[in-house]
Amino acid sequence: MEKFADLKNRLLISCVVIAFVTIFILFSGHPVMTVIVMFIAAITGVGAIWEYVEFLKTKSIHLPFILLAIFTALLIFTNYLQILNYSITGITQIMLGLFILAIFLYYFSKVDEAIVHISTCLFGIVYILVPLSLMIRILYPETIVHVPMNGKLWLTYLISVTKITDIGGYFLGTRWGKSKLAPNISPGKTLVGSIGGFIFALCLSLLFYLFSHFFPEFHFSLTFVQALILGGLIGIFGQIGDLAESLLKRDAKVKDSNSIPGVGGVLDNLDSLLFTAPIVYIFIKNM
């Protein structure tokens, strides 16, 4: 079918990405793999920030990419330090404070449009790097809570439920969707696809609940009610995250954040996770 013309590329790239992510998650506890995970997180963050900076160039806003890239690497490094020593606290907040100071110092000599540039710099950090940092903390929950918890399964839960929302919405919306959800932002999104993605998220979240119920030895705890609430929130906020990035692309007048065949760019793949990672992080922190 013509509607599914790009499905082959999507599935191929997605399978490769899922395979790599699965390997990294499974072996993330090994000291060497921890370093590799941090390196990949830094590269991902820098790539996402680069795409964000390129977006803004279309609006004649030129941000200091090198400064943002350095901060990205330092932020990931502070997370690594907390993984090595759980007693280290507040270092991430200190790093954010130093970055704000550095941004203001940078623009002391660039007064024109300083408000716009400083604001967009800070928005990029909050929008991209903070959620990425929270995903690392979810993978290594010892930095969040002091009870046995399987971070590998929690990160798998976050990614799986978020992405099944995208997949469910894509299939059902493409096949049966007619009424547009947000035509001015993303013409391909439909009401049927949105409802379908939400239902898919609930179903997969409930499957994780069943797993936690029958295999408590894996230290992945999720009650029926929690699975419904958390799955529902992910099903909603994942779609909002997708639309949020579409809004940025629409304003920048670009189709994809990058041109990786079949999947677009880094932000195209992170968009929904940027909104769902904080939800799962808050849930784990308050368990």
Side-chain angles (χ1 to χ4, degrees):
M1 294 175 62
E2 185 178 348
K3 289 184 177 180
F4 294 97
D6 65 338
L7 184 58
K8 183 177 180 180
N9 281 339
R10 283 175 177 265
L11 288 177
L12 178 61
I13 299 296
S14 296
C15 287
V16 172
V17 171
I18 289 171
F20 274 105
V21 170
T22 301
I23 291 172
F24 289 131
I25 291 176
L26 286 175
F27 296 98
S28 60
H30 191 280
V32 174
M33 187 57 73
T34 301
V35 175
I36 296 175
V37 168
M38 295 302 120
F39 177 77
I40 292 174
I43 293 298
T44 301
V46 170
I49 285 293
W50 179 80
E51 292 176 356
Y52 173 71
V53 169
E54 290 299 305
F55 278 175
L56 291 174
K57 286 182 180 178
T58 66
K59 310 298 292 183
S60 298
I61 300 173
H62 299 272
L63 300 185
F65 169 70
I66 298 299
L67 180 60
L68 292 172
I70 291 173
F71 174 74
T72 299
L74 290 175
L75 185 64
I76 299 301
F77 181 66
T78 59
N79 281 278
Y80 179 63
L81 289 179
Q82 290 187 305
I83 293 168
L84 292 179
N85 188 344
Y86 305 148
S87 64
I88 296 177
T89 58
I91 189 171
T92 302
Q93 291 85 344
I94 292 172
M95 184 59 63
L96 286 170
L98 290 175
F99 172 73
I100 294 173
L101 177 62
I103 286 295
F104 273 98
L105 291 174
Y106 178 84
Y107 281 102
F108 276 177
S109 60
K110 304 175 186 297
V111 179
D112 290 341
E113 301 294 332
I115 293 177
V116 173
H117 288 80
I118 292 171
S119 299
T120 48
C121 278
L122 296 179
F123 172 74
I125 297 303
V126 173
Y127 173 56
I128 299 170
L129 297 186
V130 171
L132 183 61
S133 178
L134 295 182
M135 290 177 66
I136 296 173
R137 305 294 288 277
I138 292 169
L139 180 58
Y140 300 98
E142 299 85 357
T143 61
I144 308 174
V145 295
H146 301 289
V147 295
M149 187 175 292
N150 194 325
K152 299 173 184 178
L153 278 176
W154 271 113
L155 185 61
T156 300
Y157 172 87
L158 166 64
I159 295 174
S160 300
V161 178
T162 300
K163 290 304 178 183
I164 201 68
T165 304
D166 295 340
I167 294 170
Y170 175 78
F171 274 98
L172 296 182
T174 302
R175 181 66 180 84
W176 290 290
K178 293 182 180 179
S179 299
K180 302 299 181 182
L181 181 65
N184 293 332
I185 300 174
S186 184
K189 296 287 190 300
T190 65
L191 186 58
V192 168
S194 178
I195 295 172
F198 178 80
I199 294 173
F200 270 61
L202 284 180
C203 291
L204 186 56
S205 185
L206 289 174
L207 286 178
F208 272 92
Y209 152 71
L210 291 176
F211 175 87
S212 71
H213 180 74
F214 289 109
F215 301 98
E217 66 272 16
F218 283 95
H219 299 294
F220 178 82
S221 178
L222 197 63
T223 68
F224 179 80
V225 173
Q226 288 172 338
L228 282 178
I229 294 174
L230 197 55
L233 288 173
I234 291 175
I236 293 171
F237 280 87
Q239 296 187 61
I240 294 174
D242 194 349
L243 288 172
E245 199 238 353
S246 294
L247 174 64
L248 298 181
K249 291 191 295 185
R250 179 69 61 179
D251 187 31
K253 294 179 175 57
V254 296
K255 183 178 184 296
D256 294 312
S257 64
N258 209 329
S259 55
I260 303 172
V263 295
V266 177
L267 280 176
D268 292 326
N269 289 277
L270 284 180
D271 53 9
S272 50
L273 288 167
L274 296 178
F275 277 61
T276 58
I279 293 172
V280 173
Y281 173 85
I282 292 171
F283 176 81
I284 291 175
K285 190 173 178 64
N286 290 279
M287 285 186 70

